[in-house]
Amino acid sequence: MTSKERLMEATTRQNRVGGGKQPPSQLLHLVFGGELETLDAARFKNLDELDIAGIFPNYAEAYKAWKAKAQQTVDNAHMRYFIVHLHRLVTPCEDGKPAANPPEGTR
């Protein structure tokens, strides 16, 4: 089993915690992409043409969308798609508790 498959399995298992009595946790992920200026860096050629595939409730669903988008653009070497772990931005602390004093400008 690859590391991505293990991560998807763990995410799916984590979303089922509570035996169905509680709604699954939402580990939101964003999938987006666009054409890069060069193959050396993740700098987009035109920000107005970014393709947002969507926001997904877990990594497994985001990975499926990422893979589908990546396969659709396989003929363009400069086209790249990314998965952003939005849940890490919403709750950035490792212990899962929100920061007592969020950084200025984030309130």
Side-chain angles (χ1 to χ4, degrees), residues 33-87:
E35 192 167 2
L36 302 178
E37 288 180 349
T38 69
L39 298 176
D40 300 336
R43 184 171 174 85
F44 294 101
K45 189 174 185 178
N46 185 345
L47 294 177
D48 292 330
E49 293 181 3
L50 285 180
D51 178 24
I52 299 177
I55 297 175
F56 301 89
N58 56 51
Y59 182 83
E61 294 298 317
Y63 181 79
K64 287 180 196 174
W66 169 84
K67 188 173 183 178
K69 285 293 190 175
Q71 287 176 341
Q72 289 173 5
T73 59
V74 72
D75 293 334
N76 183 349
H78 284 87
M79 195 69 162
R80 291 285 192 281
Y81 280 85
F82 300 89
I83 298 175
V84 178
H85 300 265
L86 292 178
H87 62 94

